[in-house]
Amino acid sequence: MAHPSQLGFQDAASPVMEELLHFHDHALMIVFLISTFVLYVIVVMVSTELTNKFILDSQEVEIVWTVLPAVILILIAMPSLRILYLMDEVNDPHLTVKAVGHQWYWSYEYTDYNELCFDSYMVPTQDLAPGQFRLLETDHRVVLPVESPLRILVSAEDVLHSWAIPSLGVKMDAVPGRLNQTTLMAAHSGVFYGQCSEICGANHSFMPVVVEAVPLKHFEDWSLLLSSTY
């Protein structure tokens, strides 16, 4: 969960988000080095005779400023492609959950449990309990087992939505008439908050996502209790 005056990302709660944070730091360092070098060249050109005709006509300089950007792009592209393939890979998931966006709430179906489905609405401000977060808390949380590879199927019933949880590194568009899939695995127990990340209408900011990762035994107890309730 983010905290006041935070400048960086939320703490990673999944292996994918850890990879994304490492890639962000990697790319940011490259950008910092490029910016420093360009600033240095500008200062030198302004303050010295660096801009004489021998430098401007140098074949070696032209080779360097052609090859170096290509090398930098490769250094950025290779880890980026690796993470993209990692995020799209869904290998033998232990559980499948279908999230369907509506105006303006989410509904969930645990496809491995025939009768386990529910709607998830935002808790109004006046109904919040102490310690709950305004505009982020829901009446029904998505309970998932911890340290288990999961498949999330995402769709929408009316307009475009987007199911996103920053700390888990998940953001998948919900498109009407189309079923998108993504994968996630919570590395530890906890409650993780997200929101619809697509401008889907007047109440766009009032359809949060709350995922609660619990040990497998607790998840099984919860699923049995919810199945009996519905």
Side-chain angles (χ1 to χ4, degrees):
M1 185 65 193
H3 56 78
S5 302
Q6 180 174 334
L7 296 179
F9 290 96
Q10 299 182 25
D11 293 337
S14 71
V16 169
M17 190 57 189
E18 290 179 3
E19 293 288 340
L20 290 173
L21 291 181
H22 290 320
F23 174 71
H24 168 267
D25 296 340
H26 168 75
L28 191 63
M29 182 55 66
I30 293 177
V31 171
F32 173 76
L33 293 175
I34 293 174
S35 302
T36 303
F37 175 73
V38 171
L39 180 61
Y40 169 76
V41 171
I42 292 175
V43 171
V44 171
M45 291 180 65
V46 170
S47 60
T48 67
E49 298 297 328
L50 185 63
T51 56
N52 62 66
K53 64 178 181 178
F54 299 105
I55 295 297
L56 293 178
D57 295 337
S58 174
Q59 185 69 33
E60 291 77 10
V61 172
E62 292 184 6
I63 293 175
V64 169
W65 73 38
T66 301
V67 174
L68 188 59
V71 173
I72 293 174
L73 289 177
I74 292 174
L75 291 176
I76 296 175
M78 294 305 292
S80 175
L81 292 174
R82 174 179 172 273
I83 296 175
L84 285 175
Y85 281 112
L86 181 65
M87 294 173 67
D88 285 338
E89 196 71 22
V90 182
N91 288 323
D92 192 23
H94 295 176
L95 180 68
T96 299
V97 179
K98 182 179 179 181
V100 181
H102 307 266
Q103 291 182 312
W104 283 274
Y105 65 95
W106 294 98
S107 62
Y108 297 96
E109 302 174 14
Y110 288 71
T111 58
D112 300 298
Y113 299 83
N114 294 331
E115 299 180 0
L116 190 52
C117 57
F118 56 87
D119 296 331
S120 180
Y121 292 86
M122 186 193 75
V123 176
T125 303
Q126 63 271 18
D127 296 333
L128 289 174
Q132 292 184 331
F133 297 100
R134 177 178 173 270
L135 302 183
L136 289 177
E137 194 60 59
T138 60
D139 56 354
H140 291 93
R141 294 175 173 177
V142 183
V143 179
L144 299 174
V146 73
E147 296 182 346
S148 296
L150 309 171
R151 174 170 54 193
I152 308 297
L153 303 178
V154 184
S155 186
E157 189 180 64
D158 33 51
V159 299
L160 290 174
H161 300 282
S162 184
W163 199 79
I165 306 174
S167 58
L168 293 175
V170 176
K171 182 179 184 295
M172 179 56 65
D173 288 342
V175 182
R178 179 171 178 174
L179 200 61
N180 293 328
Q181 77 171 5
T182 185
T183 182
L184 68 86
M185 184 177 72
H188 57 80
S189 300
V191 180
F192 311 106
Y193 296 89
Q195 290 177 301
C196 175
S197 297
E198 191 77 40
I199 300 178
C200 58
N203 293 329
H204 154 70
S205 57
F206 303 114
M207 48 184 307
V209 179
V210 183
V211 169
E212 183 175 356
V214 298
L216 180 60
K217 180 63 170 64
H218 294 174
F219 170 77
E220 292 175 345
D221 294 340
W222 170 83
S223 62
L224 290 174
L225 177 62
L226 195 64
S227 298
S228 62
T229 301
Y230 287 90

